[in-house]
Amino acid sequence: MAFSGALTITDLDDFLTPSQACIIPVRNGKAQSDMTDGSTEIHIDSDNNYYEVSTYSTAVAGPSNPKAALEKKALERAEINLNDCLACSGCITSTESLLITLQSHLEVLTYINSISSPSIDEATPPETRRPFLSISPQTLASLSAYHSALTSRPPLPLGLLLRRIRHFLSAKERGSWTVGDTTFARHLSLRESVQEFEERRAYAKGKWVDRTGGQGGYTPGPFPVLASACPGWVCYAEKAQGDLLPLMSSVRSSQGVAGALVKQYWGEKAGLKPNEIYHVTAMPCYDKKLEASRSDFYSEAHTTRDVDCVLTTGELDLLLQDLGFNPYAPTPLDHFSPSSSASATAPWPDLLTPAGTSSGSYLHTLLAHISASHPRPSALHTRKLRDSADNEEYILYDPDTNEVLFKGAKVYGFRNLQNLVRRVGKETGLGRGKGAGKLGAAVAARRKKARAGAESSASTPGTGATTPASGTGADGVEVGAELERLKRWEEKKMDYVEVMACPSGCVNGGGQMKPVTPAAAAGMEVDEEGYPRPMPDPGTDTAKPKLGKEGGEDGEEGWRWSTKEWVQRVEELYWVGEGGLLTPPGSPGLTGGVEKAREGEAEVKADELAERICRDVEDTLGPQGRWEFLRTRFRKVEGDVLGGEGGVTLEAVTW
Ligand code: SF4
């Protein structure tokens, strides 16, 4: 689908529509025809058999055949794996269970069975890899919300839930797993993001020094930096917005860093080669499976991936339920404090949760860094765009000089993401947005109106009070100065954007637990959507709901969590640490300072460990090795499947 440059996209679904069918299974079977004067199509019958159907013109078919010739040939099926995926959503979102046989909880169950009951078949070598599970904090929050709603019990703090899973899986009969969470990996990723940001600044000023001696062929990209921790966004950018790839952050996501940490660092300390470790991650979305299968995360030398298997939150829950896990059963690890549990059984500090967003706090980490590096106190102005919490702008400025120190944005969901692409293209001249310089009259009028609204309701720094359109502001600030400030905010180009494909970010990932339904709570068999199977007869089913949203309502309504409420619940639980509420995201519309990075005992330990790890890696592998440990590359995929600009590509398929 091609969009006019004059349009602002506001009515798209936040999900790409599943495409007709995956075409990759036939890619190796296409014969080259001598007859070029005609057309060839791939047909799929109701039994999922693939055919190549060629039509030739009469000139090619010969004079004896007055009509166009038709040739139908059955095509051989090819094996596909996640690397082949075009992210057309044809399989991942609709029939992935048929096409993806690896990377499921069944694979992990098979692994556990082979560990606990080694095969006596000599042809099957015994499983000897050491298991390691890395769980994302969004997964823990989703599991906590789900089991709390399911059992009507209080939600489990994430640290407690993590330690119970750790204790359960550490049992010998389940494989003696080492279990950690991905927040320390994210801590490394965030630190590296700050370093990358400074590299780009230095490069822009001609002051960058390549410490790798150009070995990796890396040069810092231009601004704005676009976060790349979300594989949904990365997939879309590589296949549909290739011109924007130089803007993408080269820093590995938390899963990417966790992969390097476990296979390269922890493995070495444990005396294990990368291929002697079985590394499983639990993530909020299916797209993380695609990320783990990227070639950068594969070691040719050891023929192994940094992450061997990615489970979604739902799949981890299935695995744990199959193994008999009860999240409410106390364990001996319950009373360890986070720091002592880290030293006792965890590979690194548990649950480091920086202030900001539940999708990684990439933007807020940079805000804190820029604010801390500025010699004078700074102020932060945030505002929602199009009244959406998924589309917020952050402006850090010096209130004395009006200098804008940093302009960033949080852009979640495909609808906002499409508009971001246009905006960035317009600012940078890169990508599809570069032709969008001329705004349509309606859009220009809307912008003017919005600007006028923003100016008349701009918050006065530090107070949140509004400033009148003329005269002197409530705190004595001259309106002229205020307008000058607004003008500077408007003119400043963006420095950083935290981009996430899911509306509300990772707490709302496609692999998270679905809201609890009455059937699930009653222990009935439910389908993938959470509906009971077989469906209850409304005339005879008199069971009264026992659970509901907080503050429980009577009747059927009391059972239903709207998606919004459910995501909000998971978001709240994400911010419940060991002993209470952590710092949730700041409230848009208010102004004030930037929260300093947490400097508790766990953070200090994490910083020390992060520094030691980076030093060790650099000592062992050199500066280029350190780069590979924490960074990655993105590649443009040429062409179009969907036809027109910006579609998912077809030329990626080798015919
Ligand atoms: Fe996955 Fe969604 Fe998070 Fe992106 S925003 S990493 S697709 S859960």
Side-chain angles (χ1 to χ4, degrees):
M1 190 188 301
F3 298 102
S4 153
L7 293 176
T8 296
I9 300 157
T10 56
D11 57 352
L12 289 176
D13 247 349
D14 271 311
F15 301 97
L16 296 177
T17 311
S19 57
Q20 299 80 4
C22 178
I23 49 124
I24 294 179
V26 298
R27 67 179 180 181
N28 295 326
K30 184 180 187 300
Q32 294 296 320
S33 172
D34 297 336
M35 303 187 186
T36 52
D37 187 11
S39 66
T40 301
E41 292 176 351
I42 305 295
H43 289 187
I44 307 170
D45 70 15
S46 54
D47 294 326
N48 268 339
N49 296 312
Y50 290 72
Y51 297 93
E52 180 186 272
V53 179
S54 304
T55 317
Y56 313 122
S57 72
T58 49
V60 175
S64 61
N65 188 351
K67 292 184 179 175
L70 207 66
E71 186 182 87
K72 187 175 178 184
K73 197 189 309 175
L75 294 172
E76 205 179 312
R77 277 179 172 266
E79 290 286 310
I80 70 163
N81 60 42
L82 284 171
N83 264 335
D84 295 314
C85 183
L86 295 172
C88 65
S89 75
C91 67
I92 295 295
T93 56
S94 53
T95 56
E96 61 80 28
S97 58
L98 292 176
L99 291 170
I100 301 172
T101 52
L102 293 177
Q103 300 216 20
S104 69
H105 86 287
L106 294 176
E107 182 197 319
V108 183
L109 270 182
T110 305
Y111 168 87
I112 291 174
N113 288 336
S114 63
I115 282 272
S116 51
S117 348
S119 167
I120 47 169
D121 172 9
E122 282 182 7
T124 314
E127 179 60 78
T128 54
R129 292 174 295 169
R130 274 269 292 278
F132 195 115
L133 173 65
S134 303
I135 311 178
S136 75
Q138 297 87 2
T139 292
L140 291 168
S142 181
L143 289 176
S144 178
Y146 181 80
H147 286 283
S148 162
L150 189 67
T151 59
S152 239
R153 298 175 78 166
L156 291 161
L158 306 197
L160 182 61
L161 179 57
L162 173 65
R163 290 198 297 281
R164 286 185 176 174
I165 295 174
R166 173 178 293 149
H167 180 263
F168 181 75
L169 289 178
S170 69
K172 194 156 181 273
E173 66 273 22
R174 295 181 198 103
S176 308
W177 290 73
T178 303
V179 179
D181 71 84
T182 56
T183 59
F184 177 68
R186 182 175 65 189
H187 190 72
L188 278 163
S189 178
L190 291 170
R191 285 167 55 101
E192 193 68 6
S193 297
V194 169
Q195 176 157 330
E196 182 195 44
F197 190 82
E198 290 302 336
E199 280 170 14
R200 290 202 192 189
R201 272 179 158 183
Y203 189 74
K205 293 179 191 155
K207 293 183 178 166
W208 177 66
V209 180
D210 183 3
R211 293 179 55 244
T212 67
Q215 283 179 53
Y218 163 77
T219 48
F223 287 101
V225 184
L226 303 180
S228 62
C230 168
W233 152 239
V234 167
C235 222
Y236 170 69
E238 286 190 322
K239 277 135 189 167
Q241 301 294 342
D243 292 347
L244 295 185
L245 294 184
L247 303 174
M248 302 286 278
S249 166
S250 64
V251 178
R252 285 184 182 218
S253 70
S254 48
Q255 177 178 263
V257 175
L261 262 181
V262 170
K263 286 279 176 113
Q264 297 175 45
Y265 185 79
W266 179 82
E268 206 216 316
K269 299 284 167 211
L272 298 166
K273 293 187 190 130
N275 55 0
E276 292 171 341
I277 301 167
Y278 180 55
H279 185 202
V280 178
T281 57
M283 291 285 142
C285 63
Y286 289 91
D287 291 1
K288 286 285 177 187
K289 295 176 192 254
L290 289 173
E291 181 189 289
S293 71
R294 295 179 70 85
S295 57
D296 272 15
F297 305 147
Y298 180 77
S299 161
E300 292 283 352
H302 296 284
T303 58
T304 186
R305 297 194 180 285
D306 285 352
V307 178
D308 296 290
C309 177
V310 181
L311 299 181
T312 62
T313 302
E315 289 166 343
L316 175 66
D317 190 59
L318 276 176
L319 173 74
L320 292 172
Q321 297 317 308
D322 279 359
L323 293 171
F325 176 64
N326 173 5
Y328 285 95
T331 74
L333 290 184
D334 280 10
H335 302 296
F336 279 89
S337 75
S339 50
S340 64
S341 91
S343 58
T345 53
W348 22 73
D350 284 347
L351 288 173
L352 302 160
T353 311
T357 65
S358 57
S359 298
S361 297
Y362 286 85
L363 173 64
H364 287 73
T365 300
L366 276 170
L367 283 165
H369 165 70
I370 307 282
S371 175
S373 356
H374 190 62
R376 287 186 301 281
S378 57
L380 179 68
H381 175 81
T382 66
R383 62 175 177 178
K384 286 182 183 176
L385 302 182
R386 295 186 189 87
D387 202 28
S388 165
D390 279 344
N391 198 355
E392 291 172 358
E393 203 170 72
Y394 291 71
I395 295 157
L396 188 70
Y397 65 100
D398 184 323
D400 293 335
T401 63
N402 275 344
E403 180 194 359
V404 181
L405 308 173
F406 177 90
K407 185 169 173 180
K410 167 189 149 185
V411 175
Y412 292 180
F414 258 101
R415 181 183 308 165
N416 292 325
L417 202 145
Q418 303 261 4
N419 286 324
L420 167 80
V421 164
R422 296 173 54 74
R423 181 177 174 186
V424 169
K426 187 166 169 272
E427 278 191 7
T428 60
L430 294 170
R432 291 181 56 220
K434 65 190 171 196
K438 285 192 174 179
L439 293 171
V443 177
R446 202 182 319 150
R447 284 203 166 177
K448 196 172 165 194
K449 195 172 152 201
R451 212 163 24 235
E455 283 167 8
S456 64
S457 63
S459 302
T460 302
T463 66
T466 56
T467 306
S470 63
T472 304
D475 64 349
V477 175
E478 285 295 332
V479 171
E482 189 63 29
L483 288 178
E484 171 61 20
R485 177 178 294 166
L486 287 167
K487 188 165 161 270
R488 288 198 186 195
W489 290 356
E490 201 69 24
E491 285 171 356
K492 173 84 169 82
K493 290 184 178 174
M494 279 198 291
D495 294 299
Y496 190 92
V497 189
E498 185 174 295
V499 196
M500 297 288 154
C502 296
S504 304
C506 295
V507 287
N508 188 27
Q512 295 280 66
M513 302 301 291
K514 302 288 177 282
V516 171
T517 61
M524 293 173 70
E525 197 178 326
V526 293
D527 67 12
E528 287 175 350
E529 302 293 321
Y531 293 106
R533 290 286 179 268
M535 295 289 281
D537 180 345
T540 56
D541 182 15
T542 54
K544 281 276 179 197
K546 290 174 289 185
L547 302 174
K549 58 191 174 188
E550 285 236 303
E553 298 167 14
D554 277 344
E556 188 65 19
E557 276 308 305
W559 282 99
R560 291 200 192 111
W561 294 77
S562 73
T563 304
K564 203 170 159 195
E565 285 168 337
W566 183 249
V567 172
Q568 183 58 38
R569 180 72 170 149
V570 178
E571 172 79 23
E572 281 164 16
L573 291 179
Y574 174 93
W575 295 104
V576 178
E578 278 299 321
L581 193 65
L582 299 170
T583 311
S587 310
L590 296 179
T591 57
V594 180
E595 167 151 351
K596 279 179 71 184
R598 285 198 189 84
E599 286 170 2
E601 190 192 347
E603 281 75 20
V604 171
K605 276 190 177 176
D607 271 333
E608 287 169 3
L609 182 58
E611 266 160 38
R612 198 162 66 238
I613 288 173
C614 290
R615 224 177 18 248
D616 281 4
V617 170
E618 189 157 341
D619 287 348
T620 316
L621 303 172
Q624 179 62 26
R626 182 197 181 282
W627 196 96
E628 302 285 347
F629 191 84
L630 294 167
R631 307 280 185 105
T632 186
R633 300 168 185 80
F634 301 102
R635 297 163 188 89
K636 182 176 180 176
V637 185
E638 304 287 346
D640 284 310
V641 156
L642 300 180
E645 295 174 84
V648 178
T649 60
L650 178 58
E651 276 80 356
V653 180
T654 311
W655 291 95

